[in-house]
Amino acid sequence: MKRAQSKTSKPASKSPAKATAKTPSKPKAPQASATRRSPAKSTRPAAKRAPQKLTPTPAAAPPTGTKKSQLIALLSSGASMAQMTELTGWLPHTVRGMLSGSLRKRLGLNVQHSLQDGVRVYRIVPAGEEVAQ
């Protein structure tokens, strides 16, 4: 009697010798998937770098036409926070970040502030001078 094969079942193996006879072979090493494999490590020791310090460069001139250069030009005569935010279109915390980070630390400019008629006025003064408060 013939056995009916369904479409979902696998067809019987045509070579029964392969299926029943197992020959002893070397055990295979487990293969790691590509995502689990660790990258090959270099045999050279890693070079150690000394930390770089940001030194202010007072002689460096910013490019013309940028918001930073416009801000520097405005600060040479003195400006309030409202004037600086109107000029750049930035929020006050961004202007303060530019003053302390870029102008003071990176460019080495002496940015100081004073109170005039209840309004804080920021200006760039030459090194060694103090703004009268």
Side-chain angles (χ1 to χ4, degrees), residues 7-76:
K7 291 182 182 180
T8 57
S9 67
K10 293 183 180 179
S13 175
K14 292 186 181 183
S15 59
K18 282 187 180 177
T20 57
K22 289 270 186 180
T23 58
S25 63
K26 293 180 185 177
K28 292 183 180 180
Q31 294 179 350
S33 67
T35 57
R36 292 184 186 170
R37 183 180 297 180
S38 62
K41 292 187 179 181
S42 175
T43 57
R44 278 193 275 170
K48 293 185 179 179
R49 294 182 183 169
Q52 295 179 353
K53 290 185 178 179
L54 294 177
T55 56
T57 54
T64 58
T66 61
K67 289 184 180 180
K68 185 191 296 188
S69 64
Q70 293 172 355
L71 193 62
I72 290 173
L74 185 66
L75 286 172
S76 63

Side-chain angles (χ1 to χ4, degrees), residues 39 67 120-121:
K67 289 184 180 180
R120 189 172 305 273
V121 177

Side-chain angles (χ1 to χ4, degrees), residues 79-100:
S80 67
M81 183 60 69
Q83 292 170 331
M84 290 185 284
T85 55
E86 183 180 327
L87 172 76
T88 59
W90 295 337
L91 294 175
H93 71 274
T94 309
V95 173
R96 283 191 296 271
M98 173 64 86
L99 291 175
S100 68

Side-chain angles (χ1 to χ4, degrees), residues 1-2 16 19 34 59 63 81 90 94 116-117 127:
M1 183 151 74
K2 275 190 163 180
M81 183 60 69
W90 295 337
T94 309
Q116 294 178 353
D117 299 325

